[in-house]
Amino acid sequence: MKTLYTLALAALLSSAPLMAVQQAATYEDAAKKAKDDGILIYMYGAGWDKIGEKMLTTLWKSREIDKIAGQAIMLTLPVYQNPTEAEKKTTAKILGNYKLPNGIASYPCILMLDRNGRPYATIQGNALTESPSQAVKTIRSNMDKLEQRTKLVQQAEKAQGLEKAKLLGKTCDLGIATPDKLLDMIKQADPDDKSGYVRRLQFSPWALGDQIKELDADEAVSRVRRMADDPAYTPHQKQEMYAVLTGKLRRNSPAYDMKKLRTLFEEMRDFDPESMYGVAAASSIDAWCTTFSLARGWSPRIFDDGGPVELEGSHPVKDKGTYIITFNYQRGMHALGVKSVAVYDGNTLVAQDKHTASAGRNAKDNTYTLKVPKPLKNPRIVCEFEQNGGKDTYGSLSIKKQ
């Protein structure tokens, strides 16, 4: 009977999940227990953060966390909005001498520390609250990156020179914080910076701004393009370079050629179109470098080249049908003179309305009708304008399908 009971107990235990995660009551306790999987600190607003309090159960104390957190030491830190003396003592007892890092912008938040207590990742905001299951995956992913970082540092310790610098430099590409004193270690291994990682780690957009501040526009553009051609820099850093450059040109060189400025924004966008800077570059093209578009209308710049002007950006003329295009004057000393509006499919003319119109305070014949006979693969709208007493004219246009 005793043997049967022992076997049954062993079967029960073997069927239960292995809970490797350890909870700690204080940071000091967590630091003593910490191993390679480090420390995870869950911070939430105590008494004022309903989402964070709920996630104590749905995320922080869930079986999903237990399954992925390995040997990480878990610490819970309530954050009080207007702490009483007792609550201040509670916080002091939990943290002891540990100082929370900067960069915590919202709660709840998970701060991920390596075994030495150095932060290597933070999960907060929508990345944490929108999907607990995805947050669990992010935690595990960051822990895997920490393991990769540790292995790279261990490999580097056995290497020398350029090879060592490259191994250490790879820790920059993991998407978590780099090891402590990384720059000093790479400089020592690669004093001539053949790896390029010293340049990457030392890059500062503020320093670049100072370097190009006194240069003329063309010299500044040349300097930044040379830097951006260097593979040592990341796409994010290259976009920062272009942000500094275009900001300087917009402030200090108002007469800088708009086509050249547009090219710079396009180059900035193309390093990483989905990034914050990529989206900003695309918006800047529309706001500052568009001569004539459905979104921005027209301005005196439509006369700069002295020839036909193509409508930039998106527009609805693409399917078979009849389209009505109307030019609406908004402001300026002069009316806009319009001579013709044409629709092309690539370079093939498919519809055209040629007549002289005036879009001013007293509009005359300012509506154009275009019959598109079939769907278009590459629709283009090209207009011919003329000055009507001068260039000082601004307005919008509308396109409606009958």
Side-chain angles (χ1 to χ4, degrees):
M1 186 69 180
K2 183 177 179 181
T3 302
L4 182 62
Y5 174 78
T6 303
L7 290 173
L9 180 61
L12 179 63
L13 291 174
S14 64
S15 65
L18 180 61
M19 304 297 184
V21 176
Q22 297 184 62
Q23 299 284 343
T26 66
Y27 176 80
E28 183 181 5
D29 183 33
K32 290 178 181 178
K33 296 177 180 178
K35 298 181 180 179
D36 286 345
D37 284 336
I39 302 169
L40 305 178
I41 303 179
Y42 179 73
M43 292 175 280
Y44 70 98
W48 56 272
D49 175 14
K50 291 183 179 180
I51 295 176
E53 290 177 333
K54 182 179 180 181
M55 290 182 70
L56 273 171
T57 302
T58 59
L59 172 67
W60 192 239
K61 297 178 181 178
S62 68
R63 293 173 65 87
E64 285 72 19
I65 283 281
D66 289 338
K67 291 176 183 177
I68 60 91
Q71 294 183 318
I73 309 301
M74 300 177 69
L75 177 64
T76 304
L77 177 65
V79 178
Y80 302 102
Q81 198 165 32
N82 297 298
T84 63
E85 288 303 316
E87 290 168 342
K88 290 178 182 178
K89 289 181 180 179
T90 297
T91 301
K93 182 178 180 181
I94 294 173
L95 290 178
N97 294 325
Y98 182 74
K99 303 296 183 183
L100 291 172
N102 296 324
I104 299 172
S106 64
Y107 300 103
C109 165
I110 295 178
L111 182 62
M112 306 184 72
L113 313 178
D114 62 22
R115 68 182 304 163
N116 298 315
R118 189 167 182 266
Y120 69 89
T122 304
I123 309 173
Q124 57 190 330
N126 291 340
L128 183 58
T129 59
E130 279 192 350
S131 172
S133 60
Q134 183 58 46
V136 168
K137 293 178 182 178
T138 303
I139 293 169
R140 184 63 257 175
S141 175
N142 287 338
M143 293 178 69
D144 290 341
K145 292 173 182 177
L146 177 63
E147 182 180 359
Q148 292 176 52
R149 193 185 81 175
T150 301
K151 289 180 178 179
L152 285 168
V153 172
Q154 290 172 345
Q155 291 172 22
E157 288 173 349
K158 300 175 183 177
Q160 293 181 346
L162 185 58
E163 181 187 358
K164 180 174 184 176
K166 288 182 176 180
L167 287 167
L168 290 170
K170 287 181 180 180
T171 64
C172 298
D173 302 320
L174 295 175
I176 60 173
T178 56
D180 193 24
K181 298 181 180 178
L182 177 66
L183 180 59
D184 291 339
M185 291 190 290
I186 293 179
K187 280 183 175 181
Q188 186 175 8
D190 181 20
D192 296 326
D193 194 24
K194 294 179 180 179
S195 66
Y197 283 111
V198 173
R199 297 195 296 284
R200 180 190 295 192
L201 290 169
Q202 288 186 324
F203 171 74
S204 163
W206 313 112
L208 176 61
D210 289 337
Q211 293 166 16
I212 67 173
K213 182 169 58 177
E214 303 301 328
L215 299 181
D216 67 31
D218 290 338
E219 288 176 326
V221 170
S222 179
R223 170 78 66 86
V224 168
R225 280 183 168 149
R226 285 198 303 272
M227 288 183 66
D229 284 340
D230 187 341
Y233 297 108
T234 66
H236 177 80
Q237 289 176 323
K238 293 176 182 181
Q239 287 183 321
E240 286 185 315
M241 296 174 194
Y242 273 71
V244 171
L245 172 63
T246 53
K248 166 191 164 58
L249 295 175
R250 286 278 298 161
R251 289 189 304 272
N252 302 336
S253 305
Y256 190 73
D257 185 273
M258 282 298 157
K259 289 186 177 179
K260 292 182 179 179
L261 185 62
R262 182 190 184 99
T263 298
L264 291 173
F265 280 125
E266 289 171 346
E267 292 172 5
M268 175 180 169
R269 176 198 62 200
D270 292 345
F271 289 124
D272 184 357
E274 302 301 319
S275 72
M276 175 186 72
Y277 283 112
V279 173
S283 298
S284 297
I285 291 171
D286 181 52
W288 297 327
C289 305
T290 299
T291 300
F292 178 49
S293 72
L294 188 58
R296 306 290 297 184
W298 78 81
S299 72
R301 290 206 302 267
I302 61 173
F303 299 112
D304 287 353
D305 292 336
V309 180
E310 182 170 346
L311 188 70
E312 301 173 80
S314 61
H315 58 76
V317 180
K318 58 183 178 180
D319 297 321
K320 177 181 177 181
T322 300
Y323 294 86
I324 306 299
I325 299 180
T326 304
F327 294 84
N328 304 297
Y329 166 87
Q330 291 178 331
R331 61 188 173 90
M333 294 291 292
H334 308 111
L336 173 68
V338 187
K339 296 170 65 178
S340 73
V341 178
V343 175
Y344 289 82
D345 192 358
N347 293 320
T348 303
L349 179 67
V350 297
Q352 187 174 33
D353 184 348
K354 295 184 69 173
H355 70 262
T356 300
S358 176
R361 290 185 177 89
N362 298 309
K364 181 181 179 182
D365 299 328
N366 60 321
T367 295
Y368 287 75
T369 303
L370 297 119
K371 296 181 179 180
V372 177
K374 61 181 181 179
L376 306 178
K377 294 181 180 179
N378 182 21
R380 299 169 56 223
I381 298 175
V382 179
C383 303
E384 289 187 82
F385 299 116
E386 62 182 358
Q387 293 184 40
N388 201 336
K391 297 181 179 181
D392 185 21
T393 179
Y394 298 82
S396 65
L397 69 157
S398 62
I399 302 178
K400 295 181 180 179
K401 185 179 181 182
Q402 282 189 336

